[in-house]
Amino acid sequence: MQTIRVETPSARYDVFVGSGLLRSLAPRIERIAGRLPRRIFVLTSPEIWALWGKALSESFPEPPLALFLPAGEKHKNLVNVEKMARQMIAAGGDRSSLLIAFGGGIVGDVGGFLAAIFMRGIRYVQVPTTFLAQVDSSVGGKTGVNLPEGKNLIGSFHHPLAVFADIGVLGTLPDRELRSGLMESIKAGIIRDRTLVRFMEEHVDDVLRRDPKALEKVIAASVRMKADVVNRDERESGLRMILNFGHTLGHAIEQVTRYKALLHGEAVGWGMIAALHLAKKRGTISSRQGERLESLVYLYGPLPPLKLRPGKLVAASGSDKKNTGGVRRFVLPVGIGDAGVVEDVTPAELESAAAYMLARAAERHA
Amino acid sequence: MQTIRVETPSARYDVFVGSGLLRSLAPRIERIAGRLPRRIFVLTSPEIWALWGKALSESFPEPPLALFLPAGEKHKNLVNVEKMARQMIAAGGDRSSLLIAFGGGIVGDVGGFLAAIFMRGIRYVQVPTTFLAQVDSSVGGKTGVNLPEGKNLIGSFHHPLAVFADIGVLGTLPDRELRSGLMESIKAGIIRDRTLVRFMEEHVDDVLRRDPKALEKVIAASVRMKADVVNRDERESGLRMILNFGHTLGHAIEQVTRYKALLHGEAVGWGMIAALHLAKKRGTISSRQGERLESLVYLYGPLPPLKLRPGKLVAASGSDKKNTGGVRRFVLPVGIGDAGVVEDVTPAELESAAAYMLARAAERHA
């Protein structure tokens, strides 16, 4: 097991990465919270609960009460948050209650947000069950739900008491989701950890056949990178921006395809291909570095095909809520293991990067 | 004008109390925020906007966009928060936008909550238009909405950039609302400010005919008391509990009457009568002090009649969400200008206090 400390001005907690965490959850929570809260709720999906609910419950003196959120972005909304808050009240939930967010990124975001606003904030822990949630969304305190107008437009910063990333739970994760999640690890390596880049290049087979040691290594390194960035910039004012590497066009792809055709990591994978091209053009990475990193993305593919027009993607990227005041921020890798933010990327450059990406997508699915 | 500083671990801002604040709002916000945000929204009620919208708007280069929340507790819900968030998105709101909560306590609570969760938190200012909101709900960072199961069960702690309590706006406040709000000032005096008690005893007429100097004095003293308590105990773990003086049975009255028969301050007024009785019985105040303070409550009455059974009130008081872990906390004045929290009040004592209060209510409306 590896333990990564998250330490921001407003919170301090640990992310545990390892095997067997699920079955020892109650004593672990007890150690951190002082004692087990009287009322414990688990926000989860019916699918995860069917597979892993028994394992999670068995260490608790009485089983936590499950609140179910159906799978899919369309259920990530305020109506469901209200519904679950009412279930908590009906079951005697109060300010001393604890919530366990047990599922993928959506469950984590909704669970964190529910904990943030239930009686003005209760404690919660994250038990992410997808690779993506383990390396990314469960760390950093961002919580939220969608509006019809866009994703995560409603939310809070609310840190968990702890994050328990159990490698074992990934055993039932569909292959496509694993590969998609690994894109965020590739991102982590590119922007901040060249050792991780090297490890992922050299252990493709181990990682993809879910060797626990290899997974623990990749997940812990990814979490360490994110925690390190979050620790220095909790509220996303500066450094935290670099976590958006690959996300400008990644989000644009998701928007244009209405979040239906690609998984988040897959869209980020393509977004990184585009961003690497722009970085090569600008000379922040060499051609050789660019090719090496592009190959790494493909090693953990396949990425789904894209049939889009570059102009449409560029237009969609402008509506990214992270662009405050109309400035178009863009993250570029600097060599391997570093990155910076530029604000002067032109629509033409963005369009050229999108065109490059779409050409690669066409080649690979010809 | 008086300025009261609120300073907690997570925020530092000023509460301005005085005349003419409304008409100079834009330059005041500009001074505090550095510059006027590109998009400014005003959450308000149609009634307040009709009376004071022009005065508020005139100092802004372009008028802020009004979002309307109809009056009444039943509109204080998540559905309306979502509706207004969508209006903000449609009007180009982003993370740099600013919200002005311009109305009574409900508008302040909903506005603060909307600001807390819109894009994970934007800046806002409070411009309270009722006496109660000026002395109480606009200070302290508590925001929230109701669930069908109870009030303020959903919410956040989110502090404003500043609070502007304009005495002039109280000119259109119905008399009953003024008297109701003054109950919170009496509370402030009893638990922490004997000078305020004396002032309110000696200036009943000035205050009730809304003499600006007298109002400014009472409001500023009330805000100073609350700010002082909030500064020491932002998250309501200990000291902040004393602000609940009169609220245990006050809330019970509101619940049993379904928040329809009495204004909040009126219920607190009766709740203080009951709490003063309990304090006399326990000897934390003398009989003479008890009578003096009870008279002060009546000086700012009349309080509406109550036709309830004591047992029902005691039962309702048990469901107060502030009673965590089943302990029944109760605030008792200690002399005049001090208070403490006890945890051993028995149901019999509570019932006797409720019976005393109901007897007074019957006498006064015989």
Side-chain angles (χ1 to χ4, degrees), chain B residues 83-348:
Chain B
K83 197 181 292 174
M84 291 184 292
R86 296 184 64 183
Q87 287 170 10
M88 289 168 70
I89 296 283
D94 63 22
R95 288 183 184 176
S96 68
S97 300
L98 178 107
L99 185 83
I100 301 171
F102 184 41
I106 293 175
V107 161
D109 285 3
V110 174
F113 186 57
L114 176 58
I117 67 171
F118 184 76
M119 292 190 169
R120 297 201 187 94
I122 62 169
R123 297 168 298 172
Y124 78 112
V125 300
Q126 293 276 15
V127 185
T129 60
T130 67
F131 189 91
L132 181 62
Q134 292 191 352
V135 300
D136 187 40
S137 51
S138 65
V139 180
K142 282 190 185 182
T143 75
V145 296
N146 303 333
L147 289 179
E149 286 75 10
K151 283 176 67 164
N152 299 319
L153 294 176
I154 293 290
S156 284
F157 285 91
H158 187 50
H159 291 283
L161 275 187
V163 180
F164 301 95
D166 189 329
I167 306 289
V169 181
L170 300 181
T172 53
L173 189 70
D175 199 55
R176 185 179 166 196
E177 285 203 40
L178 176 65
R179 290 170 186 268
S180 168
L182 282 157
M183 293 299 154
E184 292 283 356
S185 292
I186 293 174
K187 181 196 84 177
I190 292 176
I191 62 176
R192 213 146 166 104
D193 185 352
R194 57 192 308 168
T195 312
L196 176 58
V197 168
R198 171 82 47 93
F199 184 86
M200 290 186 75
E201 286 174 332
E202 290 172 354
H203 296 81
V204 181
D205 290 344
D206 294 337
V207 170
L208 289 178
R209 70 176 167 79
R210 307 178 194 209
D211 172 73
K213 283 270 161 288
L215 282 183
E216 185 175 306
K217 186 136 184 168
V218 172
I219 294 170
S222 308
V223 168
R224 195 165 286 118
M225 184 286 303
K226 181 152 186 193
D228 180 47
V229 170
V230 168
N231 292 354
R232 291 160 193 235
D233 177 25
E234 184 179 19
R235 291 277 170 154
E236 205 167 45
S237 45
L239 180 63
R240 196 160 170 170
M241 269 297 301
I242 70 166
L243 298 177
N244 288 321
F245 171 58
H247 282 62
T248 302
L249 282 164
H251 280 152
I253 293 169
E254 288 184 291
Q255 271 189 38
V256 169
T257 57
R258 298 168 169 268
Y259 298 92
K260 281 173 187 158
L262 285 82
L263 299 176
H264 175 67
E266 293 169 343
V268 170
W270 280 126
M272 289 193 291
I273 299 294
L276 287 169
H277 178 74
L278 216 161
K280 271 189 296 183
K281 285 274 192 178
R282 288 218 171 189
T284 66
I285 56 173
S286 69
S287 294
R288 234 183 94 188
Q289 288 172 326
E291 278 148 36
R292 179 181 162 195
L293 296 175
E294 196 173 330
S295 300
L296 179 61
V297 172
Y298 299 138
L299 280 174
Y300 287 91
L303 297 175
L306 296 175
K307 285 193 178 133
L308 304 166
R309 280 181 298 113
K312 208 166 173 187
L313 288 176
V314 175
S317 74
S319 70
D320 184 344
K321 70 174 178 302
K322 276 152 196 152
N323 289 307
T324 55
V327 177
R328 193 190 298 277
R329 295 203 181 115
F330 200 91
V331 184
L332 288 177
V334 178
I336 294 181
D338 198 5
V341 177
V342 292
E343 303 200 341
D344 60 349
V345 168
T346 62

Side-chain angles (χ1 to χ4, degrees), chain A residues 17 131 134-135 165 167 170 215-223:
Chain A
V17 181
F131 189 92
Q134 292 192 351
V135 300
I167 307 289
L170 301 180
L215 282 183
E216 184 176 307
K217 187 136 185 169
V218 172
I219 293 169
S222 308
V223 168

Side-chain angles (χ1 to χ4, degrees), chain A residues 38 77-79 81-82 85-86 89-90 94-96 109 113-114 116-121 141-144 146-149 152-157 235-236 321-326, chain B residues 38 77-79 81-82 85-86 89-90 94-96 109 113-114 116-121 141-144 146-149 152-157 235-236 321-326:
Chain A
R38 210 163 46 91
N77 59 36
L78 272 179
V79 169
V81 169
E82 178 163 28
R86 296 185 63 183
I89 295 283
D94 63 22
R95 288 183 184 176
S96 68
D109 285 2
F113 186 57
L114 176 58
I117 67 171
F118 185 76
M119 291 191 169
R120 297 202 188 92
K142 281 191 187 182
T143 75
N146 304 332
L147 289 180
E149 286 76 10
N152 298 319
L153 293 177
I154 293 290
S156 284
F157 284 91
R235 292 277 171 152
E236 204 167 47
K321 72 177 175 303
K322 277 152 197 153
N323 289 306
T324 54
Chain B
R38 211 161 46 89
N77 59 35
L78 272 179
V79 169
V81 169
E82 177 164 29
R86 296 184 64 183
I89 296 283
D94 63 22
R95 288 183 184 176
S96 68
D109 285 3
F113 186 57
L114 176 58
I117 67 171
F118 184 76
M119 292 190 169
R120 297 201 187 94
K142 282 190 185 182
T143 75
N146 303 333
L147 289 179
E149 286 75 10
N152 299 319
L153 294 176
I154 293 290
S156 284
F157 285 91
R235 291 277 170 154
E236 205 167 45
K321 70 174 178 302
K322 276 152 196 152
N323 289 307
T324 55

